[in-house]
Each structure stands twice: as structure tokens, then as C-alpha cells.
Amino acid sequence: MSTEKNHYPLSGITVIDLSHVYNGPYATFLMAMAGATVIKVEPFQGEHLRSRGDMGGAALPFAMLNSNKKPVTLNLKSEKGRELFKKMVKRADILVENFAPGVMNRLGIGAAELHKINPRLVYGSSSGYGKDGPYRDYPAMDLVMQAMCGVIDSTGFPEQPPVKSGAALCDFMAGIHLYAAIMTALYEREHTDKGRVVEVSMQDATYASLASNLGMLHARGDAAPARTGNRHGGLGISPYNVYRTKDGYVVLNAPGDHHFRSILDVMGRSDLKEDPRFLTRSSRVENFAAVDELIEGWTLTLGRNDVAQRMLAEKVPCAPVRNLSEVMHDENMHARGSLQWVNHPDLGRVVLPHSPLVFEGTQRREIEPSLPLGSANEAVFGEWLGCSNDELKALKAEGVIS
Amino acid sequence: MSTEKNHYPLSGITVIDLSHVYNGPYATFLMAMAGATVIKVEPFQGEHLRSRGDMGGAALPFAMLNSNKKPVTLNLKSEKGRELFKKMVKRADILVENFAPGVMNRLGIGAAELHKINPRLVYGSSSGYGKDGPYRDYPAMDLVMQAMCGVIDSTGFPEQPPVKSGAALCDFMAGIHLYAAIMTALYEREHTDKGRVVEVSMQDATYASLASNLGMLHARGDAAPARTGNRHGGLGISPYNVYRTKDGYVVLNAPGDHHFRSILDVMGRSDLKEDPRFLTRSSRVENFAAVDELIEGWTLTLGRNDVAQRMLAEKVPCAPVRNLSEVMHDENMHARGSLQWVNHPDLGRVVLPHSPLVFEGTQRREIEPSLPLGSANEAVFGEWLGCSNDELKALKAEGVIS
């Protein structure tokens, strides 16, 4: 099995990836794009995201998160499967899994067992609530975590029911924190020569992102509203809202007094610069209804891109509310190479993300589209682990690989 | 200046932190909690989050993100200030900044300049749109990025206006990706003996979290709804929703057919197990209105915690929609030490987060509450850089430090 040449940050690093859906696979996707060799180990039916069909909706997410990985199938419930697995672990640097706590131990391949085989292994694990708290056995998925973490109650209009964030933020927050923890341990290994067990819970990974809302709760106690619609989560900035235009919405945010003065200039209302309702951040926050009315009265006379261009020309934080089709074709991300058009063998020509981690001075690793289940069985079990063709045939016949 | 003893993953690492508000400070908070010495360099008025007052709402967020950091003041617009800064950089491992692109170069302390002084420096930078695309000069803040990234348009009820996520997810996604990129480069430095410039844009860091919604857009094209309320972002799972109860809301999510059969058992409706509308994931998705009606008819008869407990007993992913006060007192996070009660000198007894990165086998570093502006001037400029008392007085008199 050819490994990457030594010019990416993670060149030479081998990752055994047992993870599924978004959380773990995002972490290992970032490792692959940073140059690691990622072996994606799946059960015979494929990991959940590959196998769930989902009326077609899971196809692109799978492709987004599984570029540049080498997929193998392995039956970890068979003794021979576990033997093969341990041989892989012996040669690996990193293992990633996001099973429910206890699953790896029940399979007989928990961290303690694997560290006997390879003390340098960095073992990264993620779950909803972590391994050692009272909620450890609760099933966890993004929607459930958004409810438990306060994201749902904090999202939506005050007079409406709460609503989840459209982004699967608990899943992805966990995934990127998991990558971060593993990299920290990989760095540390250079000094200790020992691999660590690192762990990330979706719950822990989400908490800080509610800082504004938690701050308001702390400052106002029971008087703090649960959610503020499109106003600032701490109700501490004005203007800060979504405003209607002739053809959609814009957002506008003026954290500094100078931003607000620029807004008045753009709107042709420089006459209001000395209006005591608008002079300072505090006075604007107290008069936020008047601020919003003033602004929307103007934005409604223009198109959203026109509003945004006029405000941006004066350095006011402003943007159209874009739909996902516009986002997928974003000229800035395509110019940077963080989104790329790729000819995918199954999906045709699609837009796929590269890694958000940009290492200046090194060309981005080329995106290799995600591969069918078990595509790398020969390369990994044969070429890399050294099984002969006959052995591979036998493993297949015995139901160890597929 | 005492540095941490060599038993945390980042013990011995020194970080110069020029960052402000949420994005950069979250990255350096994680470094501090992993054992690094983090020197927080602020202008005389303090970084934005410290100085903005915000009617009290910024106090807790500042405390959440600035534990275990050493705050110094330094006037980078003065020649002597930059000299002092370069002395610090010479002894540091990591520099973090989230200024708008170009600011560091204009100050004469851009990455190229600093690498001349210290080629081993890992230079981490984050901005809204990155340094090299056409949008690079657009001002960027969380609300603006949520609009540009499609988070706002994807959040909310289909028949209502779009609404931002209550969590500041673009800020925090960028912050944790920045930490991740820096750790990757720190690991790489062990092999190359050279520091890297790494870069993360808020825009890139947010994209993947919309995987479900992008997947639906790919599968259904123009027929894909912009937002799905509390239903699955890809409309690929049912049940998956927020349901009313007697005293609030619960979420419930049944990705597998066996989950749905368990739900029927809990509800006492095992008679529906063979109902063709509910047999498979696809049939439930097609009949999601009937599924939701069936479930809410039952949840409305019980309290939210009662519903959750009954469902969890059968391993169905389910949770009450909790408010932030409940989240702040979460027994699981307190048991794990990821939330802790801390006596903060300014704020009194408050709940502060530890790092979501758990390094098993090492006790968590004790939380040291955030310090007032410039508290570490003597320790850093005196003890660490070696300025005498007279020199410190002169620097103060000349407006270089405060």
C-alpha cells in the first residue's frame, strides 16, 4: 500500500478509523486531508451513513467526509477479524472510534488491550456524554444533544416554539474537538514516546458556543429570555438582526459606535448621529426596536445584495442571507480551494469540501473521491499487512473480510 | 515567571495570544487547559470582549474563555512595544491572532517578519473569509458568517422567516479548528524543526456542519425546502422532531427501525408494529405527519422528563429540551469536571467550563480564574523577559506598557 510522500503535516501517520456518520469521520477526514493514511474499517453492511440510504440525502454527506480514505471491511465479531485488526493496530499511530461507551471493551479491543499491543497508539474516542458520567449510557445523536445542551431552547423567536439549529453542530463540534485532542496527544507522544487515550463528548464540545446566551443568563437571571430570534444572544449589541429587503433578507451587525455612524451615512441619515437614542452601544440596545425599525425602513427599499455591497463598502459587517445553493457555489471558498468541483464516480460532478485547516506553503492534497465499501481490502490486508492471495481468499470464505 | 511542570500534554509550550472575543481566545483557552503557558497580550483598553461592557452580558463569556491565561498590556503601535513583542516571540512556540487580514503586516509584525526572529514559531491566524480570497477584506462576525454560510437560511420553521442558531457556531467552529491546525503544525515541527503559518476561516470551518442539508439539496435540487423546523435537516429520518409535553418539549429521534419498535412498545402501541406506514425508515419518512401526530398524542399526556426517562430506558434517543440554567447545572458535566464551580474574584461563585479535550490518566489542570487587564505585566516583562524594575517604570512612563 503506497503511503503519502513526506511533505504534508501528517505524512507517514497511519490512522485506523472505526467511526461512523459525522463525528468521527469528520475528524479522520481532516487527518486524511493533512496527509495521513486513513484506513476506514467498516462492517460488511457499511457504516451507518453509507448504508442508510436516506432517500439519497446521505450520498453527498458521505462523499463530503470520506475523501482520501481507504475503505476496508472487517468482521470484528470474529476471532480472526480481531486478530487481523490487532495486526493493523500494531502498525498504526492513531485509532478513532465513536461507538457508544463500552462497545470496544465488549469486543475485546478496548484501549487497554490495544495499548498492550502498541503503547504508542493514540486512541481517540468520542460519544454523546463521555465515558465516566452518569449519562454515559444514554443514546446520543445530534438532535438529542442540541436539546440537552441548550441549543434548541436558545434558538428561534421568543414568541415561537424553540427550534434546532439547521447545522448539525453537536456532531461536528465533537468531531473537530476529537481531531484536536488527538493532535495534542500526537505532539505529546514525540516527547513521551507513549500514546494517550483522549476523549471528547458532544456535550462538552458544544457548551462554550452558547457563551453569549450563558452570559445573559448570568447577568439577568430569570429575566433573561430563553431565545432572542435574530437579535444578539446576549441582547448586548444593536443593531444586530436579520432585516427584510425587496428580495430576501440581510443581516447587519454594528458592534462599535463607529459602525453605527457608518450605517447612518450609508442610509443617508447622518442627521441622526447625535440622536441620544443611538449614540452609544448601551443606548442603542435600550432602543433596539427603534434601531431595527429605522434600518428595516431603508433595507426594504433595496435588494439584499445591493444593501450588503453598500454596507461592506463602508466596512459595516453585513451579508445577504444566502441559501445553500449559493453557499455551495461561493466564489471565495472556490477561489481558496476549500470547495472544489470533483468528478465523483458515483455522484458525477459535485462540490466537495477540502479541509478548513490551511497549511501555508504546502499545496493542498488532491481530493480523491470516496470509494465503495471494501475497495482497499487487497491494498490493506494484502499489500500492507502481507496476507497472500490464498490467505485473502480464505479470510473471505470464513466471513472475516468481504 | 513560573511555567507549568512537565506533566500536561502542552507543558513547556509558550503561547503569545493577540486574539479577541470568541474565536482566537477559545483556541488559546484550550491550550492553557492542556498545560501551555498562555500570555494574553491586550491593548491598554483591553480586548473587545473585556472592554465592551455589554450591560454585564460579556462578563461570564470573558471568564469562560480566559482562565489560566497571563494578561499583559502592550502598545504594539509604539516602536518599543514592537521591540518588546519581538523579544517575546523569540522565546515563544505559538502565536495566535484573529485580526482582520493585513493588520499584523501593517503593524510590521507579520508572519514573515516573525519567522526571521523565530523560525520555529507556529503562527496561527483566523479570520472570517481567509487571507487569499476575494472576500478577504469583508468584516466578519458570527451573525454575518451564519448568513453567508447558510446557517440562518437552514434554521427555523418552513413557514416562518429564517433565524440564526442560538449558538455562536461560526466563531467557535473557527476557534477549535484554529486550535486543531496549530496542534497539527506543532506536531509537524518535531520533524521539520520549522514553524508553520496555519490559517482557518470561519467560512471554511462552518461548511461541513450543514452536511445533512447539503445532502438534501443534492438529492432533491430545487424541491429541497430551505429549512425543516425541527425535522431532520435532510428529511431522511422519522420520527425526528421536537414534541410538546405537559410541561415543555422533548426531542425524539429514531434512526433505526428497532428504535421505532421500541417507541411503540413504550407508548403501549405495539399493535402498530406491522402498520405499513411505519415499517421502514422510508415509509415513516413518507408518512412523517402521521408519525409525529401519533407520538405527540402520547407525549402530551406526560411531563418531559417522564417521557425522556421512559424512552431512555428502552435505549431510544430522547431528551428534554433543557433551558440554559439546567444546562449550566448539568450533573453529567459537573461529575466529569468539564463544568466546575469556581470562586471568581470579580464574579463570585460561577460555573466555568474546563476543556472538552479529555486526556485520560492526567488530572485536569486546576482552573485559575481570569485576571484583570495587565495583571501579569511584571511576571512576563520582568521575571520572564528580564526587564529591571527601572526599565519597567520607564516602559510605563513611555506608554509602552500600562
Side-chain angles (χ1 to χ4, degrees):
Chain A
M1 185 173 65
S2 62
T3 46
E4 283 303 313
K5 282 188 211 86
N6 191 31
H7 54 237
Y8 300 110
L10 297 182
S11 291
I13 291 292
T14 300
V15 181
I16 310 290
D17 178 12
L18 292 171
S19 71
H20 57 280
V21 190
Y22 292 159
N23 176 347
Y26 186 57
T28 56
F29 165 69
L30 299 181
M31 292 176 200
M33 301 326 283
T37 298
V38 176
I39 300 169
K40 182 178 178 77
V41 180
E42 296 178 82
F44 288 9
Q45 73 276 21
E47 63 121 317
H48 296 319
L49 191 61
R50 190 197 285 275
S51 64
R52 84 182 181 199
D54 227 356
M55 306 172 94
L60 183 68
F62 187 86
M64 286 172 62
L65 299 180
N66 291 286
S67 300
N68 298 62
K69 297 184 186 173
K70 298 182 188 298
V72 302
T73 51
L74 186 58
N75 178 4
L76 289 171
K77 288 177 181 161
S78 80
E79 186 56 41
K80 281 223 169 131
R82 287 190 295 272
E83 265 173 42
L84 215 52
F85 178 74
K86 288 178 182 174
K87 274 191 199 170
M88 294 165 70
V89 165
K90 196 160 185 168
R91 299 171 176 219
D93 299 281
I94 294 169
L95 180 136
V96 180
E97 57 94 355
N98 62 327
F99 291 122
V103 168
M104 290 291 281
N105 284 333
R106 283 198 295 278
L107 283 168
I109 48 174
E113 199 59 39
L114 300 184
H115 271 151
K116 283 183 206 157
I117 302 166
N118 179 359
R120 284 174 47 84
L121 185 73
V122 174
Y123 182 110
S125 161
S126 185
S127 62
Y129 298 99
K131 290 183 204 166
D132 61 355
Y135 300 172
R136 113 192 117 241
D137 294 325
Y138 291 172
M141 280 149 182
D142 188 73
L143 179 73
V144 166
M145 298 314 303
Q146 285 203 30
M148 284 299 275
C149 294
V151 176
I152 291 182
D153 202 48
S154 306
T155 302
F157 297 101
E159 65 285 2
Q160 300 276 343
V163 64
K164 75 180 167 73
S165 169
L169 83 138
C170 297
D171 261 333
F172 282 92
M173 271 292 194
I176 175 60
H177 279 83
L178 179 59
Y179 175 94
I182 289 169
M183 284 303 118
T184 310
L186 193 67
Y187 161 74
E188 187 192 23
R189 189 182 77 165
E190 295 292 317
H191 298 276
T192 61
D193 205 35
K194 275 197 185 133
R196 279 257 191 196
V197 181
V198 298
E199 191 223 22
V200 166
S201 81
M202 293 166 78
Q203 194 182 28
D204 293 352
T206 305
Y207 188 82
S209 68
L210 289 157
S212 295
N213 320 63
L214 290 161
M216 182 167 62
L217 178 64
H218 176 256
R220 304 193 188 186
D222 291 343
R227 48 194 169 272
T228 60
N230 284 308
R231 292 200 163 111
H232 182 241
L235 290 180
I237 301 178
S238 171
Y240 183 114
N241 215 334
V242 168
Y243 301 95
R244 289 173 293 164
T245 70
K246 274 165 80 174
D247 61 357
Y249 300 88
V250 292
V251 298
L252 204 149
N253 171 13
D257 296 338
H258 64 289
H259 291 121
F260 190 69
R261 290 194 295 271
S262 299
I263 291 170
L264 291 175
D265 288 339
V266 173
M267 296 195 307
R269 293 305 308 271
S270 313
D271 57 301
L272 293 172
K273 278 186 187 170
E274 301 305 318
D275 190 316
R277 294 173 301 169
F278 306 140
L279 259 184
T280 65
R281 177 207 287 266
S282 312
S283 61
R284 288 192 302 277
V285 166
E286 270 163 38
N287 296 287
F288 64 73
V291 170
D292 286 345
E293 201 189 322
L294 173 71
I295 291 175
E296 194 164 78
W298 178 77
T299 58
L300 272 169
T301 67
L302 299 165
R304 61 189 179 133
N305 289 323
D306 194 2
V307 170
Q309 285 313 318
R310 291 178 192 215
M311 288 292 169
L312 289 171
E314 299 306 318
K315 305 232 167 267
V316 174
C318 182
V321 173
R322 302 200 303 179
N323 65 40
L324 283 187
S325 173
E326 294 172 294
V327 173
M328 201 185 253
H329 298 90
D330 177 82
E331 66 168 328
N332 191 63
M333 290 179 74
H334 280 275
R336 279 164 63 73
S338 39
L339 289 181
Q340 297 182 20
W341 284 102
V342 173
N343 290 316
H344 191 288
D346 297 330
L347 305 183
R349 198 160 161 71
V350 287
V351 173
L352 293 180
H354 206 286
S355 172
L357 313 181
V358 176
F359 302 100
E360 285 191 17
T362 296
Q363 237 184 337
R364 288 181 183 271
R365 186 173 181 181
E366 200 182 331
I367 295 178
E368 296 163 15
S370 57
L371 294 169
L373 186 63
S375 300
N377 278 4
E378 261 181 55
V380 170
F381 300 125
E383 211 181 310
W384 187 55
L385 281 193
C387 298
S388 67
N389 280 344
D390 284 351
E391 284 170 316
L392 289 177
K393 267 184 211 155
L395 288 168
K396 224 168 178 171
E398 291 170 78
V400 177
I401 66 176
S402 71
Chain B
M1 184 176 64
S2 62
T3 47
E4 284 301 313
K5 281 187 213 88
N6 191 30
H7 54 237
Y8 298 110
L10 297 182
S11 292
I13 291 292
T14 300
V15 181
I16 310 290
D17 177 12
L18 292 171
S19 71
H20 56 280
V21 189
Y22 293 158
N23 175 346
Y26 186 58
T28 56
F29 165 71
L30 299 181
M31 292 175 200
M33 301 325 284
T37 298
V38 176
I39 300 170
K40 182 179 177 78
V41 181
E42 295 178 82
F44 288 9
Q45 73 277 20
E47 65 120 316
H48 297 317
L49 191 62
R50 189 197 285 275
S51 64
R52 84 180 181 199
D54 228 356
M55 306 172 93
L60 183 69
F62 187 85
M64 287 171 62
L65 300 181
N66 291 287
S67 300
N68 299 62
K69 297 184 187 174
K70 300 182 188 297
V72 302
T73 51
L74 186 59
N75 178 3
L76 288 171
K77 289 177 181 160
S78 80
E79 185 55 41
K80 280 221 170 135
R82 287 190 295 271
E83 265 173 41
L84 214 53
F85 178 73
K86 288 178 182 174
K87 274 192 197 167
M88 295 164 71
V89 165
K90 196 160 183 167
R91 298 170 176 221
D93 299 282
I94 293 169
L95 181 136
V96 180
E97 55 94 357
N98 63 328
F99 292 121
V103 167
M104 290 291 280
N105 284 333
R106 283 198 294 277
L107 284 168
I109 49 174
E113 199 60 40
L114 301 183
H115 271 150
K116 284 183 206 158
I117 302 166
N118 179 359
R120 282 173 50 83
L121 185 74
V122 174
Y123 183 111
S125 163
S126 185
S127 61
Y129 299 99
K131 290 183 205 167
D132 61 355
Y135 300 172
R136 116 192 115 240
D137 294 325
Y138 290 172
M141 281 150 180
D142 188 73
L143 179 73
V144 165
M145 299 313 303
Q146 286 202 31
M148 284 299 276
C149 295
V151 175
I152 291 183
D153 202 49
S154 305
T155 301
F157 296 101
E159 67 284 2
Q160 299 276 343
V163 65
K164 75 180 167 73
S165 169
L169 84 137
C170 298
D171 261 334
F172 282 91
M173 271 292 193
I176 175 61
H177 279 82
L178 180 59
Y179 175 94
I182 290 170
M183 284 304 118
T184 311
L186 193 67
Y187 161 74
E188 187 191 23
R189 189 182 76 165
E190 296 292 317
H191 297 276
T192 60
D193 205 34
K194 277 198 185 132
R196 277 260 192 195
V197 181
V198 297
E199 191 222 22
V200 167
S201 81
M202 294 166 78
Q203 194 183 28
D204 292 353
T206 304
Y207 188 83
S209 68
L210 288 157
S212 294
N213 320 62
L214 290 162
M216 183 167 60
L217 177 64
H218 176 255
R220 302 193 189 186
D222 291 343
R227 48 194 169 272
T228 61
N230 284 308
R231 293 200 164 112
H232 183 241
L235 290 180
I237 301 178
S238 171
Y240 182 114
N241 215 333
V242 169
Y243 300 95
R244 289 174 294 164
T245 71
K246 273 165 79 174
D247 62 356
Y249 301 88
V250 292
V251 297
L252 205 149
N253 171 11
D257 295 338
H258 64 288
H259 291 122
F260 189 69
R261 290 194 295 270
S262 298
I263 291 170
L264 291 175
D265 287 339
V266 173
M267 298 197 305
R269 293 305 307 270
S270 313
D271 58 301
L272 294 172
K273 279 187 187 170
E274 302 304 318
D275 189 317
R277 293 173 302 168
F278 307 141
L279 260 183
T280 63
R281 177 207 287 264
S282 313
S283 61
R284 288 192 303 277
V285 166
E286 271 163 37
N287 296 286
F288 63 75
V291 170
D292 286 344
E293 199 189 323
L294 173 71
I295 290 176
E296 194 164 78
W298 178 77
T299 58
L300 272 169
T301 67
L302 297 166
R304 61 189 178 133
N305 289 323
D306 193 3
V307 171
Q309 286 312 320
R310 291 178 192 215
M311 287 293 169
L312 289 171
E314 298 305 319
K315 304 230 169 271
V316 175
C318 182
V321 172
R322 301 201 304 179
N323 64 40
L324 282 188
S325 173
E326 295 171 294
V327 173
M328 202 185 253
H329 298 92
D330 177 81
E331 66 168 326
N332 191 62
M333 289 179 74
H334 281 274
R336 279 164 63 74
S338 39
L339 289 180
Q340 298 183 18
W341 284 101
V342 173
N343 290 316
H344 191 287
D346 298 329
L347 305 183
R349 198 162 160 71
V350 288
V351 173
L352 294 180
H354 206 287
S355 172
L357 313 182
V358 176
F359 302 101
E360 283 192 18
T362 296
Q363 237 185 337
R364 286 181 184 272
R365 184 173 182 181
E366 200 182 331
I367 294 178
E368 296 162 16
S370 57
L371 294 169
L373 185 63
S375 300
N377 278 5
E378 261 181 55
V380 170
F381 299 126
E383 209 182 310
W384 187 55
L385 281 194
C387 298
S388 68
N389 279 344
D390 284 350
E391 284 170 315
L392 289 177
K393 268 184 208 153
L395 288 168
K396 224 169 178 170
E398 292 170 80
V400 177
I401 67 175
S402 72

